[in-house]
Amino acid sequence: MFRGSAKAKIDAKGRFKLPTDFRRLLEERYGSRDVFVTSVEGNCARLYPLPVWEELEERLARLASTDPKRLRFQRRVSYFGQQGVLDAQGRLVLQPILRDAAELVGEVVVCGHLEYLEIWNREAFEKHLAAEPFSEEDFGDLSAKGI
C-alpha cells in the first residue's frame, strides 16, 4: 500500500523521478517498474502500478460499452494516459498533455492513495487542500463506514 507523501521534482525535459521509498514498494510488491500514468480531472497525475491499472480496466470492461460514465472516464484517462516503465533511477517522462494540464513542473508532491500515487504541483495541491477542508461531517461519515 502506498502511504504518506514525498517531495519530488520534474526536470526541464519532463522527467519525473519517483521517490525512493515509493519506487522500492512498487518493485517489491508488483515485481516490476511498469506503470500507467493518467488523470481524470487534469489537475494531477495518477501513477498506477500496471497490474492495478489492468484490474481497473477489467472492472470497466464489465460495464456496458455505451455507459456514459464509462465513456467519460475512458476518454479522460486515455487523453492524459501513457503506459511506461520507470528507468533504473526511477524516472519516467510524463507526457506534455498531462504536464501542461496539471502544471507539473519543478517541485511536486507525491501522495500515496493505497493502490496508486498522485503527483501534484505543490502550490496547486496546497490550494486544493485549503479549498476542500476535511470537516467534522467527513469524520462522522467515515466513522459510520468503520474508518
Side-chain angles (χ1 to χ4, degrees), residues 104-129:
L104 296 176
V105 293
E107 188 174 313
V108 296
V109 63
V110 182
C111 296
H113 285 267
L114 304 179
E115 293 186 321
Y116 66 91
L117 297 166
E118 280 189 345
I119 306 162
W120 284 82
N121 168 294
R122 185 170 178 172
E123 263 184 51
F125 186 64
E126 289 172 357
K127 286 178 185 175
H128 182 76
L129 289 176

Side-chain angles (χ1 to χ4, degrees), residues 58-124:
E58 288 174 16
R59 291 192 305 269
L60 277 171
R62 289 187 215 120
L63 301 175
S65 63
T66 56
D67 182 310
K69 291 177 182 176
R70 173 186 167 174
L71 290 170
R72 281 194 299 273
F73 180 80
Q74 284 188 293
R75 284 182 186 128
R76 284 165 175 76
V77 299
S78 291
Y79 178 71
F80 291 116
Q82 75 182 82
Q83 184 172 330
V85 179
L86 297 170
D87 70 14
Q89 288 79 39
R91 296 177 302 185
L92 176 73
V93 176
L94 299 178
Q95 73 156 318
I97 290 172
L98 179 53
R99 283 195 326 257
D100 292 345
E103 300 177 356
L104 296 176
V105 293
E107 188 174 313
V108 296
V109 63
V110 182
C111 296
H113 285 267
L114 304 179
E115 293 186 321
Y116 66 91
L117 297 166
E118 280 189 345
I119 306 162
W120 284 82
N121 168 294
R122 185 170 178 172
E123 263 184 51

Side-chain angles (χ1 to χ4, degrees), residues 3 7 13 29 41 51 67 69 79 83 91 99 102 120 136 141 143-145 147:
R3 339 178 149 85
K7 291 180 187 177
K13 295 179 182 180
R29 179 145 190 199
E41 298 176 29
D67 182 310
K69 291 177 182 176
Y79 178 71
Q83 184 172 330
R91 296 177 302 185
R99 283 195 326 257
W120 284 82
E136 289 297 321
D141 288 347
S143 179
K145 294 175 181 176
I147 305 296

Side-chain angles (χ1 to χ4, degrees), residues 1-6 16-19 21-26 35-39 44-49 52 86 109-120:
M1 299 288 178
F2 295 113
R3 339 178 149 85
S5 68
F16 163 72
K17 184 174 182 186
L18 186 62
D21 289 343
F22 289 136
R23 188 177 87 214
R24 186 177 312 118
L25 183 60
L26 175 73
V35 297
F36 185 73
V37 181
T38 191
S39 185
C44 68
R46 287 184 176 190
L47 186 148
Y48 290 86
V52 171
L86 297 170
V109 63
V110 182
C111 296
H113 285 267
L114 304 179
E115 293 186 321
Y116 66 91
L117 297 166
E118 280 189 345
I119 306 162
W120 284 82

